[in-house]
């Protein structure tokens, strides 16, 4: 890594995307220099949003765009309500009582009082801090960035949230298919990974082995892994079932690694409910260890992401970058990363997942071929510099609008 004090610079991406792209991005950033931008979300770790923000905010600063990252705080009550809102935005039922609205809007108001957002651009992530916009005198455009799968939100909830959404100047969604009818213009940015982070850089054989040994993960048999927050949408039960079916034909070790994000109160319960499934070759770990995520994604013969709903699925991108073939649920953003049968497999049932595990574990040549294609897909489409450029384009587009008015 070149860079100032170890911070990744856009030039570091030249080896992956070429000098022309780097020069173009730097040029676009020039027009935004000294602009004060702030991102607001509700957790520093655990989950894709925190993952994205930790890299994107630094990269923006490396281009002299003064970019901050603020966090809203809340009681367990608040996060229990916002998790229900999160689930209902992805299609679950919700009993949207007066009390729930009061807790939601009340805690957001308290955060608004504590956070003085007088920035030139404000980017609010996901539903937790969404109503903050009601409490400020805007000094520039506000953008709502929703990372969820909005294909089929609960109707009553969406109607309640819409006035908040329409107070924003723009909405960023992950995929075109998540578009909703809103007064506010919508743009579509797929997430991306930081190839220089501890999670994604190449580990030495020794580093990898050390992490796996530390947790007692055996490497004598092929490893099949799923790494996800403990969340029903990620279908951990389905992963265990698929593995058990596959094991009738092949020998392997399953590792389910998960963490619990601070804004996700359901995680602990989901984790506890899985513990009875543990056996010698089914390892279930609840740890936040970034290097272990990397070691597992690189070492595994197969990575699973058997989600039932998935806004995007950074875990898919991360494994693909390491040249590991991924078997993913045929849903949401996973479909935009995996081309079925080319750089991985898409599946819609436990049986299909089991069959693909058997196929991949038993065929090293297939794994290598798919893995190479997978890495190439990420290099071309899912590195952070692409997402950075999309943000610069969006921020520059306001400049034009504001200058004209
Ligand atoms: N993650 C992690 N440790 C874990 C589980 C997940 O570091 O035990 C990370 C994972 O590597 C990825 C992010 O959390 O970077 C999850 O993002 P994704 O888009 O897959 O799902 P989300 O949690 O946002 O629904």
């Amino acid at each position: 890594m070149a860079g100032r004090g170890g911070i990744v610079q856009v030039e570091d991406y030249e080896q992956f995307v070429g000098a022309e792209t780097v020069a173009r991005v730097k040029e676009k950033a020039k027009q935004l220099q000294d602009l004060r931008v702030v991102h607001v979300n509700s957790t520093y770790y655990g989950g894709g949003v925190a993952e994205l923000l930790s890299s994107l905010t630094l990269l923006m600063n490396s281009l002299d765009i003064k970019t901050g990252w603020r966090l809203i705080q809340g009681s367990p009550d608040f996060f229990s309500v916002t998790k229900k809102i999160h689930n209902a935005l992805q299609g679950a039922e919700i009993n949207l009582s007066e009390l729930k609205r009061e807790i939601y809007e009340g805690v957001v108001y308290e955060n608004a009082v504590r956070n003085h957002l007088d920035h030139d651009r404000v980017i609010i992530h996901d539903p937790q801090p969404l109503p903050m916009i009601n409490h400020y005198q805007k000094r520039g455009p506000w953008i709502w960035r929703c990372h969820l799968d909005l294909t089929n939100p609960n109707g009553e909830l969406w109607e309640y949230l819409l006035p908040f959404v329409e107070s924003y100047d723009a909405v960023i969604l992950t995929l075109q298919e998540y578009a909703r009818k809103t007064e506010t213009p919508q743009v579509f940015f797929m997430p991306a990974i930081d190839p220089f982070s501890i999670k994604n850089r190449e580990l030495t054989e020794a580093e990898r082995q050390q992490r796996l040994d530390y947790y007692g993960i055996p490497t004598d048999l092929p490893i099949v892994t799923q790494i996800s927050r403990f969340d029903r949408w990620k279908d951990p039960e389905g992963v265990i079932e698929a593995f058990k079916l596959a094991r009738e034909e092949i020998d392997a070790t399953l590792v389910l690694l998960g963490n619990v994000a601070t804004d996700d109160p359901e995680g602990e319960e989901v984790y506890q409910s899985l513990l009875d499934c543990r056996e010698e070759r089914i390892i279930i770990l609840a740890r936040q260890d970034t290097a272990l995520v990397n070691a597992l994604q690189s070492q595994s013969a197969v990575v699973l992401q058997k989600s039932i709903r998935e806004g995007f699925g950074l875990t898919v991108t991360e494994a693909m970058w390491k040249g590991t073939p991924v078997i993913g649920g045929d849903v949401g953003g996973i479909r935009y990363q995996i081309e079925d049968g080319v750089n991985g497999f898409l599946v819609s049932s436990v049986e299909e997942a089991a069959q693909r595990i058997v196929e991949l574990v038993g065929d090293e040549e297939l794994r290598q071929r798919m893995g190479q294609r997978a890495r190439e897909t990420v290099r071309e489409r899912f590195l952070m510099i692409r997402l950075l450029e999309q943000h610069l384009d969006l921020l520059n587009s306001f400049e034009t609008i504001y200058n004209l008015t």
Side-chain angles (χ1 to χ4, degrees), residues 233-244:
W233 298 109
K234 313 284 185 184
D235 197 19
E237 295 89 352
V239 170
I240 295 170
E241 270 181 67
F243 179 74
K244 285 182 172 169

Side-chain angles (χ1 to χ4, degrees), residues 30 55 80 93 98 196 212 218 231 257 321 334 356 368 371:
K30 268 193 195 150
S55 299
S80 149
E93 288 299 311
E98 196 53 47
F196 307 103
L212 298 173
D231 181 332
L257 172 65
W321 178 243
I334 298 179
R356 296 308 192 187
Q368 287 209 341

